[in-house]
Amino acid sequence: MLVAKQKEAVMEVRRQLVEAASKENLPIKMSLGRVTAEQLCSYVQLFRDSWEALESHSGVLQLGLAAAQALRHPALPCWDACLAFERLLLQVSQSHSSLICQ
């Protein structure tokens, strides 16, 4: 989780939550596309009525809530903009160095 890209890490948390809910036969609604904080919270809330399921999967549920909290953080758009700028700089740098080498 710590070394994965943000998108991959959040998708992995969603996958683990879905897998845990499936093991417990909880009524989960799968959705494709971007993972949202609301989606993660709704998956976690599926466990609230089953103490045994909650206890069995507490680690995954904590990850899900932590990821949802991170996705809701007000600084996230700023970090996204910084990462986009970093990617742009790397692309410009790579294309510039390839022109020099030719």
Side-chain angles (χ1 to χ4, degrees), residues 39-93:
Q39 185 183 68
L40 294 176
C41 286
S42 72
Y43 291 164
V44 169
Q45 288 194 5
L46 292 172
F47 292 82
R48 70 176 174 223
D49 294 329
S50 172
W51 180 253
E52 292 83 21
L54 210 152
E55 193 174 23
S56 293
H57 304 285
S58 61
V60 174
L61 298 174
Q62 286 179 336
L63 279 175
L65 291 174
Q69 188 175 16
L71 289 172
R72 287 187 177 131
H73 196 279
L76 185 66
C78 180
W79 281 108
D80 286 342
C82 288
L83 288 172
F85 186 66
E86 180 186 33
R87 273 186 247 121
L88 182 63
L89 285 175
L90 286 171
Q91 287 175 351
V92 169
S93 171

